[in-house]
């Protein structure tokens, strides 16, 4: 299933959600009993058993609260606040296989370079060291390599960054990331881990369709080709299929329903079909199921919000785009 929760709805921020089953093309409502307070710009990740929600903008303030949702029982449990990082929004979170690593974000008065490690098995927090950490920022990206969390890009309210850092939870230490050959400074970009490299693409500083590939084994960058790349955009989505990077949607001068497929092995792009694609949008969500990319929600202008989505898959021999059922 794809789990959707929280965000900005037509009537304001919400603490409702839904579960989408692509096998039957059906939605089921998610319980709100014990759910975290309504919020947006929070983080949400899957542990293999539970969805963990944390932080975000709740009401008129940032929060350091969260919750764990178990779809097997349709129940919520709160995340402990003892030792949790300070309240924030626009931060990042990655799952290590054992812990959720939270880092950076905006506190409401300033950006931060602090973070924390949350263990859902014990419902406990451990602070993250700041020695050698990247400068405070939000709208950055973070990926998990299997050994380290890679943080890159973002902005501090005045300056954009093309710097980053590598955090090792086993030693609670940070290592700076090389900037030689790195993409230009940006925020609201996307990043995925391929199993070997972090691929960064797009973002906001006038709209970008450039990117880069970072190899932590050699601490080196290589540019992504712009030949055949999607048009410049930010607030798009990007997923890794195990073979290709899929970019879709987003906004630059206008919202778009276009996308692209990037093959790191050959540094080449191919366009995604627009036949049957969802309507143009940005700030939507996308996940990879193992065979399809599921896109849902987002902003479109007037009316403001989408309650629709689509399923993209690479067929043999053709590509196809199918609509998601509207939630009833």
């Amino acid at each position: 299933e794809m789990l959707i929760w929280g965000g900005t709805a037509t009537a304001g921020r919400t603490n409702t959600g839904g579960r989408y089953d692509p096998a039957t093309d059906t939605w089921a409502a998610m319980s709100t009993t014990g759910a975290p307070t309504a919020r947006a710009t929070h983080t949400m990740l899957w542990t293999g058993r539970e969805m963990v929600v944390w932080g975000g903008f709740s009401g008129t303030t940032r929060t350091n609260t969260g919750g764990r949702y178990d779809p097997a029982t349709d129940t919520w449990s709160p995340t402990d606040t003892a030792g949790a990082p300070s309240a924030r929004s626009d931060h990042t979170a990655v799952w290590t296989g054992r812990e959720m690593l939270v880092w950076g974000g905006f506190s409401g008065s300033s950006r931060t370079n602090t973070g924390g490690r949350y263990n859902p098995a014990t419902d406990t927090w451990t602070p993250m060291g700041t020695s050698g950490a990247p400068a405070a920022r939000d709208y950055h990206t973070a990926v998990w390599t299997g050994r380290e969390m890679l943080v890159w890009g973002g902005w501090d309210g005045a300056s954009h960054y093309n710097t980053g850092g590598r955090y090792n939870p086993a030693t609670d230490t940070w290592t700076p990331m090389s900037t030689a050959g790195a993409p230009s400074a940006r925020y609201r970009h996307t990043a995925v881990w391929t199993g070997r490299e972090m691929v960064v693409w797009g973002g906001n500083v006038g709209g970008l369709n450039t990117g880069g590939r970072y190899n932590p084994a050699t601490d080196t960058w290589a540019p992504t080709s712009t030949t055949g790349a999607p048009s410049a955009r930010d607030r798009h989505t990007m997923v890794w299929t195990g073979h290709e990077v899929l970019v879709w949607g987003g906004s630059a001068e206008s919202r778009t329903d276009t996308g692209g497929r990037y093959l790191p092995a050959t540094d080449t792009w191919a366009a995604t079909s627009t036949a049957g694609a969802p309507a143009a949008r940005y700030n939507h969500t996308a996940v990879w199921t193992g065979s399809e990319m599921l896109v849902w929600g987002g902003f479109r202008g007037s009316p403001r919000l989408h309650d629709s989505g689509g399923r993209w898959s690479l067929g043999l021999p053709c590509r196809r785009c199918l609509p998601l059922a509207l939630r009833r």
Side-chain angles (χ1 to χ4, degrees), residues 2-23:
M2 172 178 66
L3 305 182
I4 297 287
W5 186 86
T8 301
T10 303
R13 294 173 187 87
T14 183
N15 73 338
T16 62
R19 300 157 53 177
Y20 176 74
D21 185 343

Side-chain angles (χ1 to χ4, degrees), residues 44 94 146 181 205-206 254 310 322:
M44 198 162 79
V94 300
V205 180
S254 61
L322 300 174

Side-chain angles (χ1 to χ4, degrees), residues 130-143:
T130 56
S131 178
R137 63 191 70 188
D138 61 7
Y139 293 127
H140 53 286
T141 50
V143 301

Side-chain angles (χ1 to χ4, degrees), residues 184-195:
S184 58
R186 65 193 66 198
Y187 68 104
R188 285 178 172 163
H189 53 288
T190 48
V192 296
W193 175 249
T194 70

Side-chain angles (χ1 to χ4, degrees), residues 186-221:
R186 65 193 66 198
Y187 68 104
R188 285 178 172 163
H189 53 288
T190 48
V192 296
W193 175 249
T194 70
R196 181 175 177 270
E197 297 174 314
M198 174 178 69
V199 179
V200 168
W201 190 83
N204 189 317
V205 180
L208 297 166
N209 76 335
T210 59
R213 296 151 47 192
Y214 176 75
N215 186 333
T218 57
D219 189 29
T220 56
W221 286 94

Side-chain angles (χ1 to χ4, degrees), residues 289-316:
T289 70
S291 61
E292 294 180 315
M293 175 177 67
L294 307 182
V295 168
W296 192 83
F299 283 83
R300 62 178 174 178
S302 181
R304 292 182 65 213
L305 305 172
H306 281 290
D307 64 352
S308 62
R311 298 155 51 184
W312 185 94
S313 68
L314 181 61
L316 294 174

Side-chain angles (χ1 to χ4, degrees), residues 69-87:
Y69 176 74
D70 185 343
T73 57
D74 190 29
T75 56
W76 286 94
S77 303
T79 57
D80 197 1
T81 56
S86 57

